[in-house]
Amino acid sequence: MQTFVNMLFALIASALLAPVLAEDAAAKGPSLSVTGTGSLTLPAECASIVVTIEKNAPTALDAQSGASKITAQVMKVLADMNATRISTDSMSINGNYNYTATPAVITGFSAQTTISFQTAKDGAGKAIDATIANGITTLQSITFSANPDKFAESSKNATANAVKDAMTQANSAALPLKMCVSSVTSIELNARPQNSGQNPPMYAAKAAGADAGTVVQAGDITASATANLVVQLGTKCL
């Protein structure tokens, strides 16, 4: 008898809840995946420069000694110019060969030292001129960057703008269905780090005279982000 009563209550409960569940499912509507983007620009403030010194000599010792002397002089000049983060990135010594002979004959040695340093963006041209005047043989790269704290703040704002963009897209897509975003099922945020394979434009400025030296001007830095959202559409809006 008790079993029958329990089954009866279950049937009545199902009958009463079925319309509510159906209405709730209809109210939720379909899900939608959207990707929003956001970006902000800010001025470059710092230049990171990489240069290489190469010295050739008949012996490996002479080649390395010559490269070391030039490196020491370049580092001293950079320190006098208030450059920061001056460091030795790599050193190598290689033999120079005459491949027209059989077998190949070694004709001398080449020593290379690569150093990097940072300076204010307005001092990049003078720093390049100074390193060239003191014996560097290769200018490897110049990378401009923004103030780290300012970039971090801009990155946060770009991420917030990306979320807003995604929500705007979702609500616009739901409008013809007479729906809106009722909930967010999942969210994935991706903020691009500074100098991640994309350097700002570098413009060449026209020199005022023959002795004006190297003149460079950095473009703006862009803080960008994307937001991938999965949202639930319905009639009750967020």
Side-chain angles (χ1 to χ4, degrees):
M1 181 67 179
Q2 185 62 40
T3 302
F4 174 77
V5 172
N6 290 339
M7 291 178 61
L8 183 60
F9 276 124
L11 289 172
I12 294 173
S14 297
L16 292 174
L17 290 175
V20 176
L21 294 174
E23 182 180 353
D24 185 59
K28 284 185 176 180
S31 62
L32 179 67
S33 299
V34 289
T35 298
T37 59
S39 64
L40 292 171
T41 59
L42 61 163
E45 296 185 22
C46 177
S48 299
I49 302 173
V50 180
V51 298
T52 297
I53 295 99
E54 182 175 4
K55 185 66 176 179
N56 294 302
T59 68
L61 183 61
D62 288 342
Q64 180 56 37
S65 176
S68 295
K69 289 179 181 178
I70 298 172
T71 300
Q73 181 62 28
V74 169
M75 287 185 168
K76 181 182 183 303
V77 168
L78 290 173
D80 291 341
M81 297 181 70
N82 296 321
T84 59
R85 304 185 71 174
I86 304 169
S87 65
T88 301
D89 288 356
S90 66
M91 297 175 65
S92 65
I93 301 176
N94 299 288
N96 297 326
Y97 290 86
N98 177 8
Y99 290 102
T100 60
T102 305
V105 178
I106 190 165
T107 59
F109 293 86
S110 175
Q112 291 186 343
T113 301
T114 299
I115 63 175
S116 62
F117 61 93
Q118 290 186 348
T119 183
K121 69 169 186 177
D122 294 336
K126 291 181 179 179
I128 292 171
D129 289 340
T131 58
I132 293 173
N134 282 276
I136 72 158
T137 52
T138 306
L139 173 61
Q140 297 281 15
S141 66
I142 308 175
T143 303
F144 292 97
S145 57
N147 177 283
D149 293 335
K150 292 179 181 179
F151 184 86
E153 185 64 27
S154 295
S155 184
K156 290 179 183 178
N157 292 332
T159 300
N161 290 341
V163 174
K164 293 177 183 178
D165 180 49
M167 290 292 289
T168 299
Q169 291 185 52
N171 279 313
S172 296
L175 189 60
L177 303 174
K178 295 183 179 180
M179 291 183 177
C180 56
V181 175
S182 60
S183 64
V184 177
T185 304
S186 68
I187 181 170
E188 178 185 351
L189 303 176
N190 296 290
R192 187 186 184 98
Q194 186 167 199
N195 293 331
S196 58
Q198 184 178 7
N199 294 331
M202 183 173 64
Y203 304 102
K206 189 174 182 180
D211 297 326
T214 302
V215 183
V216 293
Q217 180 179 342
D220 289 335
I221 306 296
T222 300
S224 60
T226 60
N228 301 314
L229 273 63
V230 177
V231 299
Q232 193 78 38
L233 303 183
T235 55
K236 295 182 179 180
C237 304
L238 283 178

